[in-house]
Amino acid sequence: LEVWGGEPPWLWDERGLGPAGEEDNLPLPLHWFVYSLGSPVSLSYRPAGASFPLLLRGHAHMEKNWGKAFPPAWLWAQALSATPAVDGSGPTHALALSAAGPLFMGGYRSPTASVSFRPPLLRTSVTHDACNGTAYVTVEDGARRLEVHLSAPPSSFGCIEGPTAEGFSPVCAESFVAVAHVRLLRRREDGGGGAWEPEEEVVLQRAALEFGGGWRCAEEDVCAGAA
């Protein structure tokens, strides 16, 4: 896997900041930094039994975490549009979000909108059902409201390791074939009583969805016995 030239990465913030903004400079217990919402990559992959490798090109989400450990339970998602821009330059829509209890950070990008949400002045709601592979997230900051419905087949989830206070452990249930229904709304400013009006809506077919820690499915935990 390598980044190929000719197209710049889709930075979260042109100033070099991530979802937390300037708060990344604070001594927080956990940091989440999204470098790129879509970096052009080339991939060489040889399936089992194949004589020759597959050579593919696409776009990759690039991020990192650092700190002491992940929270006891969390939800993470990332999505990218599959349709290239008219000029062939790459994806046009992107989403990234992370929620742990009432805490939320994330953002949505499109040709006409660039919105980011981070504490403390937010109203958030997270409904999650890992056993059915679904989650519904709403967040608003007074001017904009983002509604995201995420879904993936329960059978598509696998277990991956995540950082804990004791080191990396199998604590993440993740699917890479999720779908994100995204709706962005704007607060009316024409005497409409503060009502929300739709700004844009999109369905992103290329999404990743992760349930971590205590938000995994307890009945059919894909991480059970993986330690």
Side-chain angles (χ1 to χ4, degrees), residues 57-97:
R57 281 190 172 184
H59 291 80
H61 175 93
M62 299 176 69
E63 66 169 62
K64 69 176 181 178
N65 295 100
W66 71 97
K68 295 181 179 179
F70 273 20
W74 70 90
L75 170 76
W76 172 89
Q78 172 268 327
L80 196 63
S81 61
T83 304
V86 176
D87 60 1
S89 61
T92 56
H93 297 71
L95 169 79
L97 63 86

Side-chain angles (χ1 to χ4, degrees), residues 2-226:
E2 64 178 357
V3 176
W4 48 275
E7 180 186 334
W10 191 353
L11 300 180
W12 179 273
D13 187 298
E14 294 298 332
R15 299 169 296 170
L17 301 176
E22 299 287 354
E23 294 182 10
D24 265 334
N25 297 317
L26 300 176
L28 302 175
L30 179 65
H31 297 265
W32 176 47
F33 182 84
V34 176
Y35 170 70
S36 172
L37 292 161
S39 286
V41 297
S42 61
L43 172 68
S44 176
Y45 169 67
R46 178 175 292 180
S51 301
F52 302 97
L54 299 175
L55 301 178
L56 306 172
R57 281 190 172 184
H59 291 80
H61 175 93
M62 299 176 69
E63 66 169 62
K64 69 176 181 178
N65 295 100
W66 71 97
K68 295 181 179 179
F70 273 20
W74 70 90
L75 170 76
W76 172 89
Q78 172 268 327
L80 196 63
S81 61
T83 304
V86 176
D87 60 1
S89 61
T92 56
H93 297 71
L95 169 79
L97 63 86
S98 178
L103 298 179
F104 177 93
M105 284 192 294
Y108 167 72
R109 306 289 189 268
S110 77
T112 58
S114 177
V115 294
S116 297
F117 299 90
R118 61 177 178 267
L121 302 178
L122 298 178
R123 295 183 60 184
T124 64
S125 174
V126 180
T127 303
H128 53 90
D129 184 351
C131 294
N132 285 316
T134 60
Y136 180 63
V137 178
T138 65
V139 56
E140 60 185 73
D141 62 4
R144 290 291 203 18
R145 175 182 172 91
L146 186 67
E147 302 175 351
V148 182
H149 181 267
L150 299 151
S151 61
S155 60
S156 68
F157 286 85
C159 184
I160 63 174
E161 291 190 340
T164 70
E166 292 74 35
F168 277 82
S169 300
V171 293
C172 311
E174 188 158 341
S175 171
F176 294 99
V177 294
V179 176
H181 295 252
V182 183
R183 189 168 181 246
L184 181 66
L185 301 97
R186 181 192 299 271
R187 182 82 73 181
R188 291 184 59 178
E189 300 179 354
D190 58 356
W196 297 102
E197 60 180 358
E199 185 172 346
E200 61 183 73
E201 189 169 353
V202 66
V203 177
L204 302 178
Q205 300 284 351
R206 298 194 300 175
L209 173 59
E210 177 181 292
F211 298 99
W215 284 2
R216 300 195 312 269
C217 177
E219 288 78 9
E220 297 184 14
D221 186 3
V222 295
C223 291

